[in-house]
mmCIF file of all heavy atoms in Angstrom:
data_model
loop_
_atom_site.group_PDB
_atom_site.id
_atom_site.type_symbol
_atom_site.label_atom_id
_atom_site.label_comp_id
_atom_site.label_asym_id
_atom_site.label_seq_id
_atom_site.Cartn_x
_atom_site.Cartn_y
_atom_site.Cartn_z
ATOM 1 N N VAL U 9 -171.535 58.504 28.258
ATOM 2 C CA VAL U 9 -170.871 58.639 29.541
ATOM 3 C C VAL U 9 -171.474 59.860 30.228
ATOM 4 O O VAL U 9 -171.850 60.843 29.590
ATOM 5 C CB VAL U 9 -169.320 58.725 29.361
ATOM 6 C CG1 VAL U 9 -168.967 59.877 28.490
ATOM 7 C CG2 VAL U 9 -168.631 58.875 30.728
ATOM 8 N N CYS U 28 -167.899 58.383 37.384
ATOM 9 C CA CYS U 28 -168.236 58.542 35.955
ATOM 10 C C CYS U 28 -169.053 57.323 35.512
ATOM 11 O O CYS U 28 -168.551 56.198 35.659
ATOM 12 C CB CYS U 28 -166.980 58.644 35.139
ATOM 13 S SG CYS U 28 -165.849 59.969 35.662
ATOM 14 N N LYS U 37 -164.173 49.642 27.088
ATOM 15 C CA LYS U 37 -163.434 50.768 26.513
ATOM 16 C C LYS U 37 -162.406 51.272 27.512
ATOM 17 O O LYS U 37 -162.528 51.073 28.730
ATOM 18 C CB LYS U 37 -164.385 51.887 26.086
ATOM 19 C CG LYS U 37 -165.421 51.552 25.068
ATOM 20 C CD LYS U 37 -164.805 51.382 23.710
ATOM 21 C CE LYS U 37 -165.881 51.179 22.667
ATOM 22 N NZ LYS U 37 -165.359 50.877 21.354
ATOM 23 N N PHE U 38 -161.464 52.028 27.023
ATOM 24 C CA PHE U 38 -160.389 52.574 27.837
ATOM 25 C C PHE U 38 -160.931 53.745 28.699
ATOM 26 O O PHE U 38 -161.563 54.655 28.156
ATOM 27 C CB PHE U 38 -159.285 53.086 26.910
ATOM 28 C CG PHE U 38 -158.008 53.381 27.600
ATOM 29 C CD1 PHE U 38 -157.417 52.458 28.416
ATOM 30 C CD2 PHE U 38 -157.351 54.604 27.356
ATOM 31 C CE1 PHE U 38 -156.195 52.712 29.055
ATOM 32 C CE2 PHE U 38 -156.129 54.872 28.008
ATOM 33 C CZ PHE U 38 -155.549 53.947 28.852
ATOM 34 N N LYS U 39 -160.687 53.652 30.002
ATOM 35 C CA LYS U 39 -161.200 54.714 30.941
ATOM 36 C C LYS U 39 -160.046 55.632 31.329
ATOM 37 O O LYS U 39 -158.963 55.127 31.686
ATOM 38 C CB LYS U 39 -161.821 54.105 32.184
ATOM 39 C CG LYS U 39 -162.648 52.847 31.968
ATOM 40 C CD LYS U 39 -163.950 53.144 31.278
ATOM 41 C CE LYS U 39 -164.890 51.950 31.257
ATOM 42 N NZ LYS U 39 -164.362 50.660 31.034
ATOM 43 N N GLN U 40 -160.297 56.902 31.258
ATOM 44 C CA GLN U 40 -159.248 57.862 31.662
ATOM 45 C C GLN U 40 -159.849 59.074 32.368
ATOM 46 O O GLN U 40 -161.043 59.357 32.203
ATOM 47 C CB GLN U 40 -158.493 58.406 30.418
ATOM 48 C CG GLN U 40 -157.515 57.436 29.824
ATOM 49 C CD GLN U 40 -156.707 58.099 28.729
ATOM 50 O OE1 GLN U 40 -157.240 58.704 27.808
ATOM 51 N NE2 GLN U 40 -155.394 58.020 28.805
ATOM 52 N N TRP U 41 -159.034 59.753 33.138
ATOM 53 C CA TRP U 41 -159.395 60.986 33.832
ATOM 54 C C TRP U 41 -158.356 61.991 33.319
ATOM 55 O O TRP U 41 -157.147 61.843 33.595
ATOM 56 C CB TRP U 41 -159.326 60.777 35.328
ATOM 57 C CG TRP U 41 -159.534 61.967 36.165
ATOM 58 C CD1 TRP U 41 -158.569 62.575 36.957
ATOM 59 C CD2 TRP U 41 -160.738 62.707 36.442
ATOM 60 N NE1 TRP U 41 -159.128 63.632 37.665
ATOM 61 C CE2 TRP U 41 -160.437 63.728 37.343
ATOM 62 C CE3 TRP U 41 -162.040 62.596 35.926
ATOM 63 C CZ2 TRP U 41 -161.459 64.629 37.813
ATOM 64 C CZ3 TRP U 41 -162.995 63.442 36.355
ATOM 65 C CH2 TRP U 41 -162.705 64.479 37.307
ATOM 66 N N CYS U 42 -158.768 62.956 32.556
ATOM 67 C CA CYS U 42 -157.846 63.878 31.912
ATOM 68 C C CYS U 42 -157.982 65.300 32.381
ATOM 69 O O CYS U 42 -159.087 65.821 32.636
ATOM 70 C CB CYS U 42 -158.079 63.871 30.406
ATOM 71 S SG CYS U 42 -157.749 62.257 29.680
ATOM 72 N N ARG U 43 -156.870 65.945 32.540
ATOM 73 C CA ARG U 43 -156.872 67.362 32.881
ATOM 74 C C ARG U 43 -156.990 68.185 31.600
ATOM 75 O O ARG U 43 -156.180 68.026 30.713
ATOM 76 C CB ARG U 43 -155.597 67.714 33.671
ATOM 77 C CG ARG U 43 -155.653 69.132 34.224
ATOM 78 C CD ARG U 43 -154.468 69.349 35.130
ATOM 79 N NE ARG U 43 -154.526 70.728 35.593
ATOM 80 C CZ ARG U 43 -154.242 71.132 36.817
ATOM 81 N NH1 ARG U 43 -153.863 70.268 37.684
ATOM 82 N NH2 ARG U 43 -154.324 72.407 37.147
ATOM 83 N N GLU U 47 -153.935 68.498 29.173
ATOM 84 C CA GLU U 47 -154.255 67.245 28.534
ATOM 85 C C GLU U 47 -153.472 66.053 29.162
ATOM 86 O O GLU U 47 -153.263 65.044 28.516
ATOM 87 C CB GLU U 47 -154.034 67.293 27.027
ATOM 88 C CG GLU U 47 -154.979 68.304 26.365
ATOM 89 C CD GLU U 47 -154.860 68.319 24.861
ATOM 90 O OE1 GLU U 47 -153.919 67.682 24.310
ATOM 91 O OE2 GLU U 47 -155.687 68.979 24.222
ATOM 92 N N GLY U 48 -153.076 66.256 30.430
ATOM 93 C CA GLY U 48 -152.429 65.098 31.090
ATOM 94 C C GLY U 48 -153.515 64.122 31.523
ATOM 95 O O GLY U 48 -154.523 64.556 32.103
ATOM 96 N N CYS U 49 -153.352 62.865 31.234
ATOM 97 C CA CYS U 49 -154.404 61.906 31.535
ATOM 98 C C CYS U 49 -153.903 60.855 32.531
ATOM 99 O O CYS U 49 -152.736 60.455 32.530
ATOM 100 C CB CYS U 49 -154.841 61.175 30.241
ATOM 101 S SG CYS U 49 -155.796 62.222 29.169
ATOM 102 N N TYR U 50 -154.821 60.415 33.373
ATOM 103 C CA TYR U 50 -154.578 59.294 34.299
ATOM 104 C C TYR U 50 -155.379 58.103 33.781
ATOM 105 O O TYR U 50 -156.556 58.282 33.485
ATOM 106 C CB TYR U 50 -154.985 59.655 35.703
ATOM 107 C CG TYR U 50 -154.250 60.827 36.280
ATOM 108 C CD1 TYR U 50 -154.758 62.102 36.196
ATOM 109 C CD2 TYR U 50 -153.047 60.633 36.948
ATOM 110 C CE1 TYR U 50 -154.072 63.196 36.706
ATOM 111 C CE2 TYR U 50 -152.351 61.706 37.465
ATOM 112 C CZ TYR U 50 -152.866 62.996 37.370
ATOM 113 O OH TYR U 50 -152.202 64.045 37.896
ATOM 114 N N SER U 51 -154.718 56.997 33.681
ATOM 115 C CA SER U 51 -155.423 55.783 33.177
ATOM 116 C C SER U 51 -155.779 54.908 34.344
ATOM 117 O O SER U 51 -155.166 54.958 35.402
ATOM 118 C CB SER U 51 -154.529 55.020 32.196
ATOM 119 O OG SER U 51 -153.993 55.891 31.264
ATOM 120 N N GLU U 52 -156.743 54.016 34.102
ATOM 121 C CA GLU U 52 -157.114 53.085 35.164
ATOM 122 C C GLU U 52 -155.935 52.178 35.486
ATOM 123 O O GLU U 52 -155.059 51.935 34.662
ATOM 124 C CB GLU U 52 -158.356 52.280 34.743
ATOM 125 C CG GLU U 52 -158.167 51.547 33.448
ATOM 126 C CD GLU U 52 -159.482 50.854 33.006
ATOM 127 O OE1 GLU U 52 -160.165 50.348 33.878
ATOM 128 O OE2 GLU U 52 -159.775 50.867 31.821
ATOM 129 N N ARG U 54 -153.450 52.559 37.210
ATOM 130 C CA ARG U 54 -152.093 53.128 37.338
ATOM 131 C C ARG U 54 -152.215 54.379 38.168
ATOM 132 O O ARG U 54 -153.097 55.184 37.956
ATOM 133 C CB ARG U 54 -151.519 53.434 35.983
ATOM 134 C CG ARG U 54 -149.993 53.253 36.001
ATOM 135 C CD ARG U 54 -149.418 53.332 34.621
ATOM 136 N NE ARG U 54 -149.677 54.602 33.947
ATOM 137 C CZ ARG U 54 -150.177 54.703 32.746
ATOM 138 N NH1 ARG U 54 -150.479 53.602 32.085
ATOM 139 N NH2 ARG U 54 -150.349 55.865 32.214
ATOM 140 N N VAL U 63 -153.748 60.024 41.921
ATOM 141 C CA VAL U 63 -155.067 59.807 41.344
ATOM 142 C C VAL U 63 -155.206 58.313 41.143
ATOM 143 O O VAL U 63 -154.355 57.655 40.587
ATOM 144 C CB VAL U 63 -155.164 60.517 39.971
ATOM 145 C CG1 VAL U 63 -156.451 60.159 39.264
ATOM 146 C CG2 VAL U 63 -155.038 62.043 40.116
ATOM 147 N N ILE U 65 -157.956 55.303 39.826
ATOM 148 C CA ILE U 65 -159.196 55.058 39.073
ATOM 149 C C ILE U 65 -159.595 53.572 39.295
ATOM 150 O O ILE U 65 -158.795 52.683 39.071
ATOM 151 C CB ILE U 65 -158.977 55.281 37.575
ATOM 152 C CG1 ILE U 65 -158.660 56.752 37.312
ATOM 153 C CG2 ILE U 65 -160.229 54.865 36.765
ATOM 154 C CD1 ILE U 65 -158.351 57.077 35.854
ATOM 155 N N PHE U 73 -166.956 54.126 36.703
ATOM 156 C CA PHE U 73 -165.670 54.079 37.304
ATOM 157 C C PHE U 73 -165.524 55.288 38.215
ATOM 158 O O PHE U 73 -166.161 56.328 37.997
ATOM 159 C CB PHE U 73 -164.538 53.979 36.309
ATOM 160 C CG PHE U 73 -164.286 55.206 35.406
ATOM 161 C CD1 PHE U 73 -163.313 56.176 35.766
ATOM 162 C CD2 PHE U 73 -164.991 55.373 34.202
ATOM 163 C CE1 PHE U 73 -163.136 57.253 34.969
ATOM 164 C CE2 PHE U 73 -164.772 56.449 33.398
ATOM 165 C CZ PHE U 73 -163.798 57.423 33.773
ATOM 166 N N VAL U 75 -163.026 57.991 40.249
ATOM 167 C CA VAL U 75 -161.736 58.658 40.300
ATOM 168 C C VAL U 75 -161.530 59.210 41.716
ATOM 169 O O VAL U 75 -162.359 59.935 42.206
ATOM 170 C CB VAL U 75 -161.668 59.809 39.310
ATOM 171 C CG1 VAL U 75 -160.316 60.528 39.376
ATOM 172 C CG2 VAL U 75 -161.936 59.339 37.888
ATOM 173 N N TYR U 88 -161.665 68.972 34.264
ATOM 174 C CA TYR U 88 -161.185 67.612 33.963
ATOM 175 C C TYR U 88 -162.177 66.911 33.053
ATOM 176 O O TYR U 88 -163.326 67.410 32.914
ATOM 177 C CB TYR U 88 -161.027 66.778 35.274
ATOM 178 C CG TYR U 88 -159.855 67.264 36.106
ATOM 179 C CD1 TYR U 88 -159.978 68.349 36.936
ATOM 180 C CD2 TYR U 88 -158.656 66.601 36.077
ATOM 181 C CE1 TYR U 88 -158.929 68.828 37.729
ATOM 182 C CE2 TYR U 88 -157.585 67.026 36.843
ATOM 183 C CZ TYR U 88 -157.730 68.148 37.659
ATOM 184 O OH TYR U 88 -156.672 68.581 38.446
ATOM 185 N N LEU U 89 -161.789 65.849 32.449
ATOM 186 C CA LEU U 89 -162.692 65.070 31.568
ATOM 187 C C LEU U 89 -162.753 63.636 32.010
ATOM 188 O O LEU U 89 -161.710 62.978 32.165
ATOM 189 C CB LEU U 89 -162.178 65.160 30.101
ATOM 190 C CG LEU U 89 -162.204 66.560 29.486
ATOM 191 C CD1 LEU U 89 -161.403 66.497 28.179
ATOM 192 C CD2 LEU U 89 -163.595 67.022 29.215
ATOM 193 N N CYS U 90 -163.970 63.128 32.221
ATOM 194 C CA CYS U 90 -164.191 61.704 32.352
ATOM 195 C C CYS U 90 -164.174 61.157 30.952
ATOM 196 O O CYS U 90 -165.036 61.548 30.154
ATOM 197 C CB CYS U 90 -165.570 61.439 32.979
ATOM 198 S SG CYS U 90 -165.583 61.359 34.737
ATOM 199 N N SER U 91 -163.265 60.276 30.639
ATOM 200 C CA SER U 91 -163.124 59.815 29.277
ATOM 201 C C SER U 91 -163.331 58.315 29.201
ATOM 202 O O SER U 91 -162.693 57.580 29.929
ATOM 203 C CB SER U 91 -161.720 60.193 28.762
ATOM 204 O OG SER U 91 -161.477 59.676 27.531
ATOM 205 N N VAL U 92 -164.234 57.892 28.313
ATOM 206 C CA VAL U 92 -164.498 56.467 28.128
ATOM 207 C C VAL U 92 -164.519 56.261 26.639
ATOM 208 O O VAL U 92 -165.383 56.780 25.894
ATOM 209 C CB VAL U 92 -165.862 56.062 28.675
ATOM 210 C CG1 VAL U 92 -166.102 54.565 28.463
ATOM 211 C CG2 VAL U 92 -165.954 56.334 30.168
ATOM 212 N N GLY U 93 -163.514 55.506 26.136
ATOM 213 C CA GLY U 93 -163.401 55.300 24.707
ATOM 214 C C GLY U 93 -163.218 56.683 24.035
ATOM 215 O O GLY U 93 -162.352 57.462 24.374
ATOM 216 N N LEU U 95 -165.579 59.043 24.104
ATOM 217 C CA LEU U 95 -166.547 59.972 24.712
ATOM 218 C C LEU U 95 -165.935 60.650 25.903
ATOM 219 O O LEU U 95 -165.170 60.023 26.671
ATOM 220 C CB LEU U 95 -167.833 59.240 25.127
ATOM 221 C CG LEU U 95 -168.644 58.620 23.971
ATOM 222 C CD1 LEU U 95 -169.821 57.889 24.556
ATOM 223 C CD2 LEU U 95 -169.090 59.676 22.990
ATOM 224 N N GLN U 96 -166.293 61.888 26.122
ATOM 225 C CA GLN U 96 -165.754 62.632 27.238
ATOM 226 C C GLN U 96 -166.836 63.489 27.866
ATOM 227 O O GLN U 96 -167.747 64.000 27.152
ATOM 228 C CB GLN U 96 -164.591 63.533 26.830
ATOM 229 C CG GLN U 96 -163.398 62.798 26.301
ATOM 230 C CD GLN U 96 -162.376 63.711 25.706
ATOM 231 O OE1 GLN U 96 -162.696 64.741 25.105
ATOM 232 N NE2 GLN U 96 -161.084 63.356 25.872
ATOM 233 N N VAL U 97 -166.824 63.652 29.188
ATOM 234 C CA VAL U 97 -167.741 64.542 29.840
ATOM 235 C C VAL U 97 -166.954 65.405 30.808
ATOM 236 O O VAL U 97 -166.073 64.912 31.549
ATOM 237 C CB VAL U 97 -168.887 63.774 30.553
ATOM 238 C CG1 VAL U 97 -168.361 62.851 31.616
ATOM 239 C CG2 VAL U 97 -169.949 64.715 31.099
#
Side-chain angles (χ1 to χ4, degrees):
V9 56
C28 306
K37 299 287 187 185
F38 194 50
K39 320 290 189 321
Q40 285 186 308
W41 174 247
C42 297
R43 188 171 177 142
E47 296 183 352
C49 290
Y50 298 93
S51 311
E52 56 185 322
R54 212 172 59 232
V63 174
I65 297 178
F73 69 94
V75 178
Y88 290 80
L89 297 166
C90 269
S91 174
V92 180
L95 297 178
Q96 296 172 325
V97 62

